[in-house]
Every structure is written in C-alpha cells, then in structure tokens.
Amino acid sequence: MAILPIRIWGDPVLHAPAESVETVTEEIRALVADMYETMDAAPGVGLAAPQVGVGLRIYTYAYEDDEGSPWRGEIINPELWMTPTEPGDPDPDTESEGCLSFPGESFPLRRSDRVVVTGSDLEGEPVRIEVSGWRARIMQHEFDHLDGTIYIDRISERDWKTAQKISKKRGWGRPGSSWIPGIDDVDA
C-alpha cells in the first residue's frame, strides 16, 4: 500500500466525469487499498479516485459517529438518490465542509439531509447505503467528485470569490497541483 498524491482544484481529472469500472482487477483492489491509506493519512472522511488522479467511479469513506461507532467502506459505480435540499442559506456552524482537493479550507454548503447510494463492493456484491446527516453529506460530496464537481463549485458567490483568492495565493487552479499527506504542508 502507498500514500498517493492528492490532486488539488484545477487539475483536469477533478473537473471531468469519471468512467465506470468494468471489472474489478488486482489493480483496482490495490488502488482502493492505497485510497484508504491516503484518506487515513490526510486525514479525511472520504476520497474519490479522481482525487488521486484516477478517473474511475470509485470512492472510499470512513466516519466515526459521536458514540465512536466506525463506518467505513468503498463503493464502485455508485448511484445516488437524495431528498430535496431545504431552501435557504446554509448554517456556517453546522453545514460547512472541506475537501482534500481544496485543503485547509471550509465553506458553508447546503446539502440534502437523506440519501440512498447503491453500487458494488470489491467482491462485486451489491451495496445499498441509506444515511442521513453527516454521512449523507459525505456520500454527496464524494459522489460529486465522480461527476467532476468539487464542493467549491457549489458554494455561494461570495465564498467562491474568497476561494478564488485562496487558490491564486497558493498557486492552485492549474494542472499538476497536488499534495502528499504526511509530507506536504498545505495549510500555509
């Protein structure tokens, strides 16, 4: 297993729809193992294959709730259904999120509170996840990556302008930008 470089906003793989996985091969299994290691090292609660430069419809997730119950897995070729999003502005205290591909920052974003995700696991077995709250947010965030959308593409215009200033200051927004968890300091 290896910790992979995480692509930063502006890299083309992050802005293009990912391709379906036709067959789970040993290379796909190795990729997923590396994605878990990279996600854990970052640390993150989810990681999509495009974030490590691979344009395939795969993501991993890991979240521990307030009671300490772990929730971890991978989804290949997911499909997402969600309840309508509540109208109004997001609460910056309870609805902010960040992204490993726009590291060190967070912005408020309204998401659906309930989702259902279907797909398969590494064994080809069907996966069906029905979740709410932060788990639903994680599913939507990672699914967006597979469609070439990063959460900052969805934030308010005012926050978008702030994100653009941050990106320019840090030299992001161009092909080839990446960071390696445990090696690079991306919060500077």
Side-chain angles (χ1 to χ4, degrees):
M1 291 192 313
I3 295 174
L4 304 172
I6 297 174
R7 303 296 175 94
I8 294 177
W9 180 82
D11 192 284
V13 73
L14 295 172
H15 304 285
E19 299 290 326
S20 294
V21 174
E22 299 300 323
T23 306
V24 175
T25 62
E26 287 309 311
E27 290 81 14
I28 296 291
R29 291 177 192 283
L31 170 64
V32 170
D34 291 346
M35 288 172 62
Y36 277 119
E37 188 167 349
T38 303
M39 178 180 65
D40 292 343
V45 295
L47 187 67
Q51 291 182 273
V52 293
V54 179
L56 292 174
R57 297 188 74 78
I58 303 170
Y59 66 79
T60 58
Y61 58 89
Y63 180 74
E64 191 171 294
D65 64 19
D66 293 337
E67 290 79 44
S69 299
W71 179 65
R72 188 172 175 90
E74 72 277 337
I75 300 181
I76 299 170
N77 298 330
E79 293 192 29
L80 173 75
W81 293 270
M82 58 189 157
T83 59
T85 304
E86 292 292 323
D89 293 330
D91 181 327
D93 294 326
T94 61
E95 295 180 286
S96 286
E97 64 185 71
C99 181
L100 298 176
S101 290
F102 202 87
E105 302 299 327
S106 65
F107 294 97
L109 178 63
R110 175 77 29 108
R111 296 270 193 187
S112 176
D113 191 53
R114 299 191 68 73
V115 301
V116 175
V117 180
T118 60
S120 63
D121 63 16
L122 286 173
E123 307 308 317
E125 296 298 317
V127 172
R128 183 179 192 280
I129 299 170
E130 187 170 345
V131 289
S132 61
W134 275 101
R135 291 177 177 178
R137 179 175 293 275
I138 293 166
M139 295 287 109
Q140 292 167 83
H141 182 107
E142 299 310 325
F143 188 85
D144 272 354
H145 278 297
L146 304 182
D147 286 341
T149 301
I150 298 179
Y151 90 108
I152 63 166
D153 296 331
R154 296 186 179 276
I155 60 178
S156 73
E157 184 177 345
R158 186 188 81 239
D159 289 338
W160 170 255
K161 289 177 182 176
T162 301
Q164 294 306 301
K165 288 177 185 175
I166 291 166
S167 177
K168 184 176 182 179
K169 179 181 176 185
R170 295 186 181 170
W172 299 345
R174 58 184 166 73
S177 295
S178 67
W179 68 283
I180 301 173
I183 295 175
D184 295 324
D185 179 11
V186 293
D187 294 328

